[in-house]
Amino acid sequence: MNAPQLDEQIAKYSRICNRLSDEVARLLVGQERMVSRLLIGLITGGHVLLEGVPGLAKTLTVSSLAKSIRTDFSRIQFTPDMLPADVIGTEIFNPKDATYSVKRGPIFSNLVLADEINRAPAKVQAALLEAMQEKQVTIGTETFRFAEPFLVMATQNPIEQEGTYPLPEAQVDRFMLKTSVAYPSREDERKIVDRIAGGKPVPEITPVATPEEILETRAVVEKVWCDDKVRDYAVDVVRATRPSDSTPGQPTEGSTPAFENMIEMGASPRASIFLLKAGKAHAFLDGRSYVTPHDIKSLAPDVLRHRIVLTYEAEAEGKTVDSLLQDLLDNVPVP
């Protein structure tokens, strides 16, 4: 496909994303960054984790985006007393004919909202591993594949809050993006108060896209061109988070010595893959057929913040993952 044809396809399919964001904006005030990250996950097939204190419209945003697509949607409210069968389903014994039948759980949907995912115990969180990575689940002896598109959009409260369980590294690594949701600006908060507390009717979300259009959009995003120098930059950014290789005391090639004592565990190669995919989607949403280093740099915090574990030394110095990532991005040469 030549460049003019690709530009034409990007212009055509980016209008689908514009319709989705416009439909969500009918109900939601502000939070454009959160919406754009959800759209990136949607058009790349990557799961998205939203973190923020209660009341920042995380659940409302995810459910509104899901309702704007003409497809199956399920919401799972995670609680401390849940069992894995409450998520993936279970086998039920039929005494009449002495047979077992499978009752599918709410995970069997195209779009799944995992609400307050870190309020569930470890066994329930582990039940999502196969579903998120392999896009299938095993119940008894049967394996069931999910229909495309399949996407988990999860929300969680800050881990310091009471009644939360930290997500295991193996599961949190399955999320393509982890976006921190901030408080709205004063202007946006005033609009929220006027809209919700003003007695006006809340607009209904109507579907403006189909699953087929989402899958076609994903195919176009894959065609966005990325120069070798930009690919190298994405790999360098990820490798800079790794303090050492498998040999103790030996720094990883491409790692940043200044951060050697700050990072206990760096990002895996999955982060490099996700960073490049997210960069393509970022360029697509911007109407471009090529990826720039700015696309990579803009998405790097969302792709990496949940894949890095700080050392005690870094925490003692008051470092946070976000501040360390910003310092790291400032040190990695940009092509």
Side-chain angles (χ1 to χ4, degrees):
M1 180 182 295
N2 55 41
Q5 288 177 325
L6 182 57
D7 289 337
E8 184 179 341
Q9 283 200 338
I10 289 176
K12 173 185 176 182
Y13 285 97
S14 62
R15 286 195 288 269
I16 297 173
C17 295
N18 293 336
R19 292 202 308 264
L20 290 171
S21 59
D22 290 345
E23 187 64 23
V24 172
R26 293 178 59 241
L27 185 61
L28 188 73
V29 176
Q31 301 293 10
E32 289 84 2
R33 183 173 175 275
M34 175 168 50
V35 174
S36 81
R37 297 308 188 258
L38 288 172
L39 285 174
I40 287 174
L42 183 66
I43 61 179
T44 57
H47 309 296
V48 182
L49 178 62
L50 304 177
E51 182 180 74
V53 298
L56 296 182
K58 302 184 298 297
T59 301
L60 177 65
T61 305
V62 173
S63 61
S64 298
L65 179 61
K67 291 175 183 176
S68 64
I69 303 171
R70 197 172 290 107
T71 187
D72 293 334
F73 167 65
S74 66
R75 172 182 174 178
I76 308 173
Q77 181 65 52
F78 286 81
T79 57
D81 60 346
M82 286 186 72
L83 298 173
D86 297 327
V87 176
I88 65 173
T90 187
E91 287 185 318
I92 298 178
F93 180 70
N94 186 351
K96 186 177 180 180
D97 51 9
T99 59
Y100 285 92
S101 61
V102 173
K103 181 183 178 183
R104 301 188 179 192
I107 195 69
F108 284 87
S109 186
N110 293 112
L111 300 178
V112 178
L113 166 56
D115 208 6
E116 296 186 311
I117 189 174
N118 61 334
R119 290 202 181 278
K123 283 185 178 180
V124 177
Q125 294 174 2
L128 290 173
L129 278 176
E130 182 184 13
M132 294 175 64
Q133 181 64 25
E134 307 296 334
K135 297 188 177 181
Q136 65 181 32
V137 293
T138 301
I139 304 175
T141 58
E142 283 191 84
T143 299
F144 302 88
R145 290 200 61 84
F146 299 135
E148 290 286 359
F150 172 73
L151 187 68
V152 175
M153 297 176 283
T155 69
Q156 73 170 12
N157 297 324
I159 198 62
E160 294 81 8
Q161 292 206 348
E162 189 175 351
T164 57
Y165 301 82
L167 296 178
E169 287 82 1
Q171 182 183 350
V172 79
D173 195 46
R174 262 64 175 183
F175 286 99
M176 180 184 198
L177 305 173
K178 178 184 177 183
T179 298
S180 297
V181 183
Y183 288 106
S185 65
R186 186 184 186 280
E187 181 181 354
D188 285 342
E189 189 162 354
R190 177 56 192 271
K191 290 179 181 178
I192 294 170
V193 171
D194 290 341
R195 178 176 295 187
I196 304 301
K200 299 178 181 179
V202 178
E204 290 288 335
I205 297 293
T206 57
V208 295
T210 64
E212 292 75 22
E213 289 176 323
I214 299 301
L215 294 178
E216 291 170 3
T217 302
R218 288 183 183 179
V220 175
V221 171
E222 285 290 332
K223 298 174 184 175
V224 173
W225 184 72
C226 185
D227 187 82
D228 285 342
K229 291 183 179 179
V230 179
R231 292 175 185 266
D232 290 339
Y233 175 62
V235 171
D236 289 341
V237 168
V238 173
R239 291 184 66 82
T241 67
R242 300 172 192 164
S244 61
D245 62 12
S246 57
T247 306
Q250 297 296 319
T252 299
E253 181 185 355
S255 64
T256 307
F259 303 102
E260 186 70 21
N261 298 323
M262 296 291 176
I263 300 176
E264 180 73 25
M265 184 180 72
S268 69
R270 185 182 282 125
S272 301
I273 298 170
F274 282 160
L275 185 54
L276 186 58
K277 286 187 173 184
K280 287 186 174 184
H282 192 267
F284 171 85
L285 292 176
D286 202 33
R288 287 181 281 107
S289 59
Y290 56 91
V291 183
T292 67
H294 174 72
D295 295 316
I296 301 299
K297 197 169 186 177
S298 298
L299 272 299
D302 296 277
V303 174
L304 297 174
R305 66 164 51 94
H306 53 302
R307 295 182 163 89
I308 294 176
V309 178
L310 299 183
T311 61
Y312 290 116
E313 180 181 343
E315 293 177 351
E317 293 183 12
K319 288 284 187 180
T320 64
V321 171
D322 282 347
S323 65
L324 193 68
L325 279 174
Q326 188 56 56
D327 294 341
L328 187 146
L329 288 170
D330 292 340
N331 279 271
V332 177
V334 181

